[in-house]
Amino acid sequence: MQLLKDRIIKDGNVKPGNVLKVDSFLNHQMDIELFNEIGKEFKRLFADLNITKILTIEASGIGIACIVAQYFNVPVVFAKKAQSINIDGEVYSTKIESFTHKKTYDVIVSKRFLNKDDRVLIIDDFLANGCALVGLIDLVVSAGASVEGIGIVIEKGFQSGGEIIREMGIRLESLAIVESMNAEDGTVVFREDAR
Amino acid sequence: MQLLKDRIIKDGNVKPGNVLKVDSFLNHQMDIELFNEIGKEFKRLFADLNITKILTIEASGIGIACIVAQYFNVPVVFAKKAQSINIDGEVYSTKIESFTHKKTYDVIVSKRFLNKDDRVLIIDDFLANGCALVGLIDLVVSAGASVEGIGIVIEKGFQSGGEIIREMGIRLESLAIVESMNAEDGTVVFREDAR
């Protein structure tokens, strides 16, 4: 998605340790106009799948998922990190390791909001090692529902998550795949630009 | 907002300990059509304020804030709980006590996303004791920006948050104010219904 790649080039910031900061428009401050363009693109890519529900994980996936959901006319469910006293006992749960925060979370979804008839589109802002996505897929499978597709805004193509998910046979669409980046000169190379 | 009150009566669930569960449409599964009606209502209520930015706090405020932002054509910034290694050092920070989770969070916003010219509308799903809102107001004040208004979906009118905020002289609009509720028979009484 060219608009997104242009925005990453313009406003993204490459930091040491393969960190791509896009917090001015994607995951801290959020550009809702851009999110709407992202929503239209995911609708174009997944139009044929009769999606009944969008699933994401707190926190930074929620805003994108809600805007995207407008193009599918379906509710959004977000998986929650750690048990809250406001969640009923009846939940699907999985464990997700976060390298960013260096800990393992219990992640839950109420059984009332995922059922075997659901055709689920998973939406998230980033795909790197794939731990979060594998956890979300596990929640959907636990419910007997189907993962019809996964829509990612930015995939770090040099990490293993994309390959893991694609090898599972799941339709994964990433709107920008970063092939490589360089913290010294700030450059970002996208997959189709790579030779 | 009658549509919201009707939905609370229909799908809300009163639990012991003054817990109102609205997780089937507001803060776990999210009804995006309802969020759009909420967005239109906040726009009607705050139309005259020349809002430049919407501020909320992760996680459950984010979805509502993003949909509401479409009616104001402004970006959303969400305050983050606890320091992430992906956040630059330059942040405004405050502490917020969560009674739900029985702990105190450090809550931060990057200094790049709030500045003295911003006219901020704060959006959140719930107002109870007001701790989260007081923290968000503190962040805005730290930036030298102005809190033009606060839009809340559900206020627990029997807790002190609403009074605290209104006594600060800040324009607070809650789309439904729960005056009382009863876990035994499941009834919810809204403020204008109270005698």
Side-chain angles (χ1 to χ4, degrees):
Chain A
M1 185 183 176
Q2 197 56 47
L3 181 75
L4 174 66
K5 292 179 197 165
D6 291 346
R7 187 65 176 269
I8 294 168
I9 297 294
K10 177 170 167 277
D11 291 332
N13 218 324
V14 182
K15 299 279 183 184
N18 276 329
V19 173
L20 176 61
K21 280 179 69 78
V22 286
D23 60 354
S24 66
F25 59 95
L26 193 67
N27 51 19
H28 185 13
Q29 181 165 255
M30 299 181 284
D31 179 338
I32 308 301
E33 276 184 58
L34 175 67
F35 284 16
N36 269 291
E37 295 306 315
I38 287 169
K40 289 175 200 168
E41 183 66 5
F42 281 137
K43 176 64 185 180
R44 193 181 68 78
L45 292 165
F46 295 115
D48 56 323
L49 297 177
N50 295 314
I51 300 302
T52 64
K53 202 156 279 182
I54 287 178
L55 177 67
T56 189
I57 182 165
E58 63 172 290
S60 48
I62 297 175
I64 300 158
C66 285
I67 300 294
V68 171
Q70 297 179 126
Y71 296 90
F72 291 86
N73 295 309
V74 299
V76 174
V77 174
F78 69 89
K80 299 191 175 199
K81 291 170 182 165
Q83 191 83 15
S84 150
I85 62 164
N86 278 354
I87 291 273
D88 276 339
E90 285 285 293
V91 298
Y92 299 114
S93 78
T94 191
K95 286 188 187 298
I96 295 180
E97 192 174 349
S98 167
F99 289 92
T100 312
H101 296 98
K102 294 186 174 56
K103 60 179 173 180
T104 299
Y105 295 98
D106 286 301
V107 172
I108 59 169
V109 166
S110 168
K111 290 184 179 175
R112 290 174 293 139
F113 307 137
L114 275 182
N115 66 65
K116 65 179 176 48
D117 298 322
D118 273 321
R119 300 170 59 86
V120 178
L121 175 62
I122 295 174
I123 294 287
D124 210 356
D125 56 340
F126 263 99
L127 167 56
N129 58 51
C131 287
L133 279 189
V134 169
L136 291 176
I137 293 166
D138 184 43
L139 292 172
V140 176
V141 169
S142 298
S146 64
V147 178
E148 293 295 313
I150 298 177
I152 297 293
V153 181
I154 302 176
E155 176 181 337
K156 288 176 168 173
F158 51 87
Q159 288 189 242
S160 58
E163 198 177 339
I164 291 167
I165 301 294
R166 290 183 179 95
E167 280 180 356
M168 293 169 82
I170 294 174
R171 184 160 159 190
L172 166 64
E173 301 278 3
S174 299
L175 302 186
I177 302 179
V178 176
E179 195 67 76
S180 65
M181 52 193 194
N182 185 329
E184 282 178 26
D185 62 10
T187 52
V188 175
V189 178
F190 295 105
R191 181 155 290 179
E192 59 273 41
D193 305 328
R195 297 284 173 239
Chain B
M1 186 184 175
Q2 197 56 47
L3 181 76
L4 174 66
K5 291 180 199 166
D6 292 346
R7 188 63 176 272
I8 293 167
I9 297 294
K10 177 170 166 279
D11 291 331
N13 218 323
V14 182
K15 299 279 184 185
N18 276 329
V19 173
L20 177 61
K21 280 179 69 78
V22 286
D23 61 353
S24 67
F25 60 95
L26 193 67
N27 52 18
H28 185 14
Q29 180 166 256
M30 298 181 284
D31 179 337
I32 308 301
E33 277 183 60
L34 175 67
F35 285 16
N36 270 291
E37 295 305 317
I38 287 169
K40 288 176 201 168
E41 183 66 4
F42 281 137
K43 176 64 185 180
R44 191 181 69 77
L45 292 166
F46 296 115
D48 56 322
L49 297 177
N50 294 314
I51 300 302
T52 64
K53 202 155 280 182
I54 287 177
L55 178 67
T56 189
I57 182 166
E58 62 172 289
S60 48
I62 297 174
I64 300 158
C66 285
I67 300 294
V68 170
Q70 296 179 127
Y71 296 91
F72 291 87
N73 296 309
V74 299
V76 174
V77 175
F78 69 89
K80 300 191 175 200
K81 291 171 182 164
Q83 191 82 15
S84 150
I85 62 165
N86 278 354
I87 291 271
D88 275 340
E90 284 286 291
V91 298
Y92 299 113
S93 78
T94 191
K95 287 188 187 297
I96 295 180
E97 191 174 350
S98 166
F99 289 92
T100 312
H101 297 99
K102 296 185 176 56
K103 60 179 175 180
T104 299
Y105 296 97
D106 286 301
V107 173
I108 58 169
V109 166
S110 169
K111 289 184 180 177
R112 290 173 294 138
F113 307 138
L114 274 183
N115 67 65
K116 66 179 176 49
D117 299 322
D118 274 321
R119 300 170 59 87
V120 179
L121 174 62
I122 296 175
I123 294 287
D124 209 356
D125 56 341
F126 263 99
L127 167 56
N129 57 51
C131 287
L133 279 189
V134 170
L136 291 175
I137 292 165
D138 184 43
L139 292 172
V140 176
V141 169
S142 299
S146 63
V147 178
E148 293 295 314
I150 298 177
I152 297 294
V153 182
I154 302 176
E155 176 180 337
K156 288 176 167 173
F158 51 86
Q159 289 190 240
S160 58
E163 198 177 337
I164 290 167
I165 301 296
R166 289 183 181 96
E167 279 178 0
M168 294 169 82
I170 294 174
R171 184 161 160 191
L172 166 64
E173 301 278 3
S174 300
L175 302 186
I177 302 179
V178 176
E179 194 66 75
S180 65
M181 53 192 194
N182 185 329
E184 282 177 27
D185 62 10
T187 53
V188 175
V189 178
F190 295 105
R191 180 155 292 178
E192 59 274 38
D193 305 330
R195 296 286 172 239

